[in-house]
Amino acid sequence: MEIYSAEATSSRGSVRVDGRGDLAYPVGEPSGDGTADALNPERLYAAALATCLHQSLTIAATSLDVEPAESVVTAKATLSHQDGGYELSAAVDIYLPGAATDDLYDTVTREALRLCPLVGAEVSVKFDRDRGLALQNHRGPADPGQN
């Protein structure tokens, strides 16, 4: 049973989402210094992974009676040059203040990783448990990246 489908078309210099002119974004290659003004595949993948994993985290937390309201997922996509080709990897940090114990945090995050269809064998995703647990004790704004 299909839940949702979206289509994006990339052409020179832009990507258009679902054929809508108002959802056309400029795209470009990342520069050698890691900066980019336009969107690029790595930025798009990081956004997709963070969003997908956050939705999976919400589903997992809710099913395990953990409050997901203040949760935050950060994904970092990295493009590397490997053996004449390229490799995409990702690292994620998960902030889930509703998990009262480390065991509950681990259970929810493992289930979220299992549920997220963008996490798989094709692109390695490293979960930084220590950073996630450090964020767990964060007592600042809802977005721990802002501190």
Side-chain angles (χ1 to χ4, degrees), residues 72-83:
V72 177
V73 175
T74 301
K76 179 181 180 180
T78 302
L79 180 66
S80 304
H81 192 261
Q82 300 287 331
D83 301 322

Side-chain angles (χ1 to χ4, degrees), residues 46-61:
L49 179 60
T51 303
C52 182
L53 190 53
H54 193 246
Q55 290 172 343
S56 296
L57 182 72
T58 299
I59 292 167

Side-chain angles (χ1 to χ4, degrees), residues 58-115:
T58 299
I59 292 167
T62 301
S63 72
L64 294 166
D65 293 325
V66 173
E67 176 56 50
E70 296 297 318
S71 62
V72 177
V73 175
T74 301
K76 179 181 180 180
T78 302
L79 180 66
S80 304
H81 192 261
Q82 300 287 331
D83 301 322
Y86 295 94
E87 176 180 276
L88 180 66
S89 62
V92 296
D93 300 322
I94 298 174
Y95 173 65
L96 182 62
T101 66
D102 288 353
D103 286 341
L104 188 54
Y105 177 86
D106 288 345
T107 300
V108 173
T109 54
R110 268 195 309 274
E111 179 63 7
L113 288 167
R114 186 189 72 75
L115 289 172

Side-chain angles (χ1 to χ4, degrees), residues 2-28:
E2 185 175 301
I3 296 173
Y4 178 77
S5 180
E7 182 175 294
T9 302
S10 178
S11 59
R12 187 173 183 92
S14 71
V15 63
R16 187 170 312 273
V17 180
D18 288 335
R20 293 175 44 189
D22 62 332
L23 290 179
Y25 303 100
V27 294

